[in-house]
Amino acid sequence: PPDAPQRPPDAPRLPPGAHGAAPAVSTGSPREGMEALLRALVEWKASDLHLSTGAPPLLRHDGEIRPLPDRAPLARADTESLLMSIAPPPNREEFERRHDTDFAYEIAGLARFRCNLFLDRLGIGGVFNLIVGFPGEPPESVNATLEMARQLRSMSPSFEIAIFYYK
């Protein structure tokens, strides 16, 4: 479709399923399915992944939110099992009480993600942001990036940036 993101040249081709649409979830465990979606976020060089009941997985790519190609809409039960598969127990409890929770999730050797789970009129949903930073990035590189952000902020008070660093 014309509104679908263009596959980056170095991104792997996502396998099509029946009728040209891959299942929204993998045939493995819910955690494996969720990690496959997070890997797609990184492979497509997108900034965010949005999951919502009744919609296919969506990627924010170059500022536009578009469906992940060749993926079917998520059923309510699939959405819930995908999202809860990576939520730590205290966050599952918080979600039950507040219908909203935030946590971080890491796929070792790949990336870290900021995760927000919420409940809306359609059911459970989640937004996953790729955390900027590189495992083992030298501290001098982080300091140079932070200094550049400070300089940009001094030039424009409305400039905001969040830079995360982890080892």
Side-chain angles (χ1 to χ4, degrees):
D3 63 342
Q6 296 300 309
R7 185 171 64 90
D10 56 345
R13 183 94 175 121
L14 298 174
H19 307 287
V25 294
S26 72
T27 55
S29 72
R31 180 180 294 262
E32 289 169 340
M34 189 65 228
E35 288 191 354
L37 290 169
L38 293 170
R39 287 178 193 285
L41 165 66
V42 173
E43 290 165 359
W44 279 78
K45 299 180 178 159
S47 60
D48 306 308
L49 168 69
H50 298 255
L51 301 179
S52 187
T53 301
L58 303 170
L59 294 177
R60 180 181 302 274
H61 187 268
D62 292 333
E64 300 283 330
I65 296 178
R66 299 179 177 152
L68 186 61
D70 302 325
R71 293 293 176 145
L74 292 163
R76 186 180 191 125
D78 290 336
T79 307
E80 184 170 354
S81 39
L82 283 169
L83 298 176
M84 290 301 163
S85 74
I86 64 166
N91 293 88
R92 290 181 201 163
E93 292 168 13
E94 180 183 36
F95 181 82
E96 289 301 317
R97 284 191 322 274
R98 298 184 59 228
H99 302 247
D100 188 81
T101 190
D102 295 295
F103 58 93
Y105 186 76
E106 179 176 6
I107 298 177
L110 180 69
R112 292 185 71 208
F113 306 89
R114 178 192 170 276
C115 311
N116 170 253
L117 306 185
F118 58 86
L119 189 66
D120 66 13
R121 63 184 175 78
L122 299 175
I124 190 170
V127 177
F128 303 86
N129 311 107
L130 182 61
I131 295 177
V132 178
F134 303 97
E137 185 174 8
E140 54 276 3
S141 173
V142 172
N143 290 337
T145 303
L146 290 172
E147 181 55 34
M148 180 180 68
R150 282 188 207 96
Q151 289 174 5
L152 289 170
R153 177 123 180 133
S154 70
M155 291 186 283
S156 172
S158 63
F159 176 81
E160 292 189 26
I161 187 167
I163 299 174
F164 299 89
Y165 172 71
Y166 66 97
K167 290 184 180 182

